[in-house]
DNA sequence: CGAAGTGTTGAAGGGTTTCAAGCATAGTGG
DNA sequence: CCACTATGCTTGAAACCCTTCAACACTTCG
C-alpha cells in the first residue's frame, strides 16, 4: 500500500463517513500507482477505462471537445479528486482527462469496486455523495458561465481553488498557492478567449485583488474577491455533519 | 400506491437495473402524491426538505439565484426525473425547484430512502447511476454555455428535450411536442437575454429547422438541427447495457 | 375595459472575440 | 556561448455577438 494513497483514502473516508473496514476495502481495489509528467493526456475522450483514477498529487483537468476543435475544461482536479467517477457506472467516458503539472495517480479496478459496493452499502453511498458533490459544483459553474461576467468568473475560480486547497485546513485564504495553469487553459475553463483572460487579469491585479505570476497565485483581498464573485464557501460542503467549516465571506 | 407512480418506478428500475423487490422498497418510501399548478415554487433555494420529490407528470425546473437577482435555470425536469436527488446526501439544497405547467409530484421520505439503501446495496448504486447521469448532462451544458453560440445552444436544447421525451420510445424526432416554456425562461436556461432568444428563434424558423408557437414545438429537420448543435444522442445514455438506442444524428 | 403577460422590433451601446504583432523567457542544438 | 525555436504573456484595432432600453402589438383574463 502506497503511503500517499493511504492518506487520501483516509481523507476520503472522513469526508463521506466510512469506517476502517470500508476504507480498506476501497484501498484494496488499487492495482497500481503511476507518476506522469506535465501536459500528459491520461484518459482520452470517449475511452472505456477498466479502472478509476484517483489523483494523489498534482493538478489535472477534465475536458470536452467539440468536433470542430472548440474545447471546454469542465473540472479542475486537485489532489484527492477522482478523475473519472463516471466510469463506475458508465462504460464510455464523454470527457477526457489530462495533467497540468506532474501528477501521481492511483488506479482502482472498476470491477473490484463494484464488488466492494455490493458487499458494503455504505461505500456505494459514499460514492453517491461524491457524485452529488460534483453535481453541485457543475451546477454552480453553469450559473457562472451562463450569468456572470468574465471578471466575476475569474474571481470565482480563484476563490474556489484557494478554498479547495486551503479551506479544509482553515489556512489563511490569502496565502500563496502554486498555480500551474496558463491563460489559454484558464480561457477554456471560463469560456473566454486567451486575450480577454489576459485583460481581465490585469484589471484584477490593478484593483489589488490578486497577485499572479508564473505558477503562483495569491489572493490579496479575500473578502473583496469573494463578494465580487458571489462566492459562498458553503457551496462546496457535501454534508451538514462532517463538512469543513466554511471561510467567512460576506 | 398511485398508478402513475408505479409506472415511473418501473421505468426507473429498467433504466438503472433494479428487480421488483428493490423497486417496491423504493416505492414504499412514497408518503404522498400531490398536484400543483403552473409557475409554483415547489422547493425554495436553500431549503432543507425532508423528502425527495419525483416528478410524475408535467414540466419543472431547477434554478439558482445570485444575490443581485440574476437567475439561471440549471436543469429542465421532465416526467420521471427526481427534482432534488441532492437531498439524499445534502441537507441544504443550493438550488430551488419550480413548475412550468401543472405537475403531479411524488414525495419520498428521505430517511426511509436511507434505510432502503442500507438494506439494498443495488438501490444506492441505482441512485449513483442517476447522479452520474445528471453529471454528464451538466458537463455537456457547461460546454454549451462556455463554448457554443446562442443559435447552437437553442438548437441543442431542442434536440435534448425532444430526445428525452421521445427518444426512449424510438418515436419520430420530428413529431410535435408540448413546450410549456416561454422565451424569458429559455433565456435563463441558455444564459441569454429574452430579446436575443427571440431573434435566434426567428432565425431557426426562417431556416426551416423548427416550428414553435404557443406551447408547441416541432423539429422540422432533425438531422440539420442536431448537426448544427453538435448533439450526439449517446450523451444521455447512462450505461452501455440497458440504455436506449440513440437516434441517428450525423 | 384595463391590466398583465408574452412576443416582436429598432437603435444604441458594451462586453468579448478575432486578428495581428511584439516582447520576454526558457530550452535546444550546433 | 549563441542563434534558434517554442511557449506564454501583452497590446492595439476592428469586428461581432449579444445586451439593454424603449416601444408597440397581441392575447388572456379578471
Amino acid at each position: 500500500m502506497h503511503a500517499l494513497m493511504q492518506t487520501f483514502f483516509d481523507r476520503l473516508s472522513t469526508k463521506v463517513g466510512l469506517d476502517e473496514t470500508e476504507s480498506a476495502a476501497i484501498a484494496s481495489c488499487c492495482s497500481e500507482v503511476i507518476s506522469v509528467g506535465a501536459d500528459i493526456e491520461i484518459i482520452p475522450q470517449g475511452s472505456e477505462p477498466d479502472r478509476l483514477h484517483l489523483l494523489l498529487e498534482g493538478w489535472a483537468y477534465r475536458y470536452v471537445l467539440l468536433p470542430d476543435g472548440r474545447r471546454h475544461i469542465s473540472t479542475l482536479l486537485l489532489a484527492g479528486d477522482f478523475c473519472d467517477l463516471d466510469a463506475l457506472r458508465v462504460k464510455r467516458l464523454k470527457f477526457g482527462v489530462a495533467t497540468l503539472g506532474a501528477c501521481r495517480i492511483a488506479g482502482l479496478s472498476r470491477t473490484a469496486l463494484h464488488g466492494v459496493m455490493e458487499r458494503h452499502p455504505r461505500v456505494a453511498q459514499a460514492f453517491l455523495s461524491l457524485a452529488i458533490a460534483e453535481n453541485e459544483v457543475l451546477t454552480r459553474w453553469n450559473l457562472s458561465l451562463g450569468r456572470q461576467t468574465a471578471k466575476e468568473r475569474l474571481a470565482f475560480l480563484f476563490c474556489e481553488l484557494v478554498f479547495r486547497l486551503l479551506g479544509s485546513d482553515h489556512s489563511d485564504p490569502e496565502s500563496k498557492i502554486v498555480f500551474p495553469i496558463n491563460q489559454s487553459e484558464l480561457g477554456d475553463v471560463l469560456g473566454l478567449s486567451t486575450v480577454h483572460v489576459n485583460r481581465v487579469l490585469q484589471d484584477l491585479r490593478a484593483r489589488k485583488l490578486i497577485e499572479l505570476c508564473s505558477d503562483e497565485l495569491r489572493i490579496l483581498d479575500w473578502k473583496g474577491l469573494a463578494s465580487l464573485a458571489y462566492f459562498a464557501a458553503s457551496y462546496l460542503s457535501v454534508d451538514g455533519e462532517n463538512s469543513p467549516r466554511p471561510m467567512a465571506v460576506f
Side-chain angles (χ1 to χ4, degrees), chain A:
Chain A
M1 159 69 65
H2 202 282
L4 198 53
M5 237 191 64
Q6 189 54 57
T7 310
F8 284 113
F9 283 127
D10 289 349
R11 180 176 298 185
L12 175 69
S13 64
T14 61
K15 259 203 325 204
V16 294
L18 294 176
D19 64 26
E20 282 178 28
T21 316
E22 293 155 341
S23 177
I26 296 177
S28 73
C29 300
C30 176
S31 50
E32 55 172 1
V33 173
I34 59 170
S35 296
V36 295
D39 298 312
I40 301 293
E41 173 152 330
I42 307 170
I43 308 166
Q45 182 170 346
S47 64
E48 305 187 355
D50 58 353
R51 73 198 96 202
L52 266 72
H53 298 79
L54 178 61
L55 186 59
L56 301 177
E57 204 174 10
W59 289 50
Y61 61 89
R62 294 203 270 253
Y63 67 89
V64 192
L65 289 174
L66 283 174
D68 66 2
R70 279 175 287 178
R71 183 176 84 147
H72 184 70
I73 292 180
S74 64
T75 319
L76 288 177
L77 301 165
L78 306 181
D81 291 332
F82 276 100
C83 299
D84 47 1
L85 197 60
D86 301 38
L88 263 182
R89 305 294 299 175
V90 178
K91 265 217 300 233
R92 177 181 295 272
L93 291 180
K94 276 101 186 168
F95 53 80
V97 178
T99 63
L100 284 166
C103 289
R104 194 172 291 260
I105 295 170
L108 288 81
S109 158
R110 194 170 174 261
T111 50
L113 282 169
H114 285 157
V116 171
M117 285 197 292
E118 290 286 344
R119 289 188 300 279
H120 303 277
R122 305 280 299 282
V123 170
Q125 291 176 56
F127 283 123
L128 178 59
S129 288
L130 292 180
I132 285 173
E134 288 193 5
N135 234 295
E136 296 192 305
V137 174
L138 288 168
T139 299
R140 182 59 182 80
W141 271 105
N142 265 357
L143 168 63
S144 218
L145 291 167
R147 287 298 187 207
Q148 291 194 275
T149 65
K151 199 190 299 180
E152 291 170 330
R153 283 181 241 175
L154 228 1
F156 188 86
L157 181 66
F158 293 146
C159 287
E160 174 180 322
L161 289 172
V162 165
F163 183 77
R164 284 166 64 189
L165 283 171
L166 305 175
S168 49
D169 306 332
H170 304 97
S171 306
D172 179 8
E174 294 177 2
S175 325
K176 194 183 286 184
I177 64 168
V178 295
F179 198 75
I181 170 168
N182 66 30
Q183 297 182 358
S184 159
E185 290 154 344
L186 280 178
D188 283 341
V189 174
L190 303 165
L192 299 170
S193 68
T194 309
V195 173
H196 199 57
V197 168
N198 182 286
R199 291 184 172 127
V200 175
L201 281 178
Q202 290 177 49
D203 186 50
L204 292 178
R205 281 191 278 245
R207 290 167 192 272
K208 301 250 185 289
L209 291 169
I210 62 160
E211 222 173 62
L212 174 62
C213 54
S214 76
D215 288 22
E216 285 189 338
L217 167 72
R218 159 179 265 140
I219 294 182
L220 298 174
D221 176 2
W222 168 264
K223 279 189 65 173
L225 201 66
S227 76
L228 166 63
Y230 293 109
F231 178 84
S234 61
Y235 108 94
L236 284 171
S237 63
V238 177
D239 214 336
E241 278 69 51
N242 37 19
S243 59
R245 263 171 298 287
M247 293 175 183
V249 176
F250 296 117

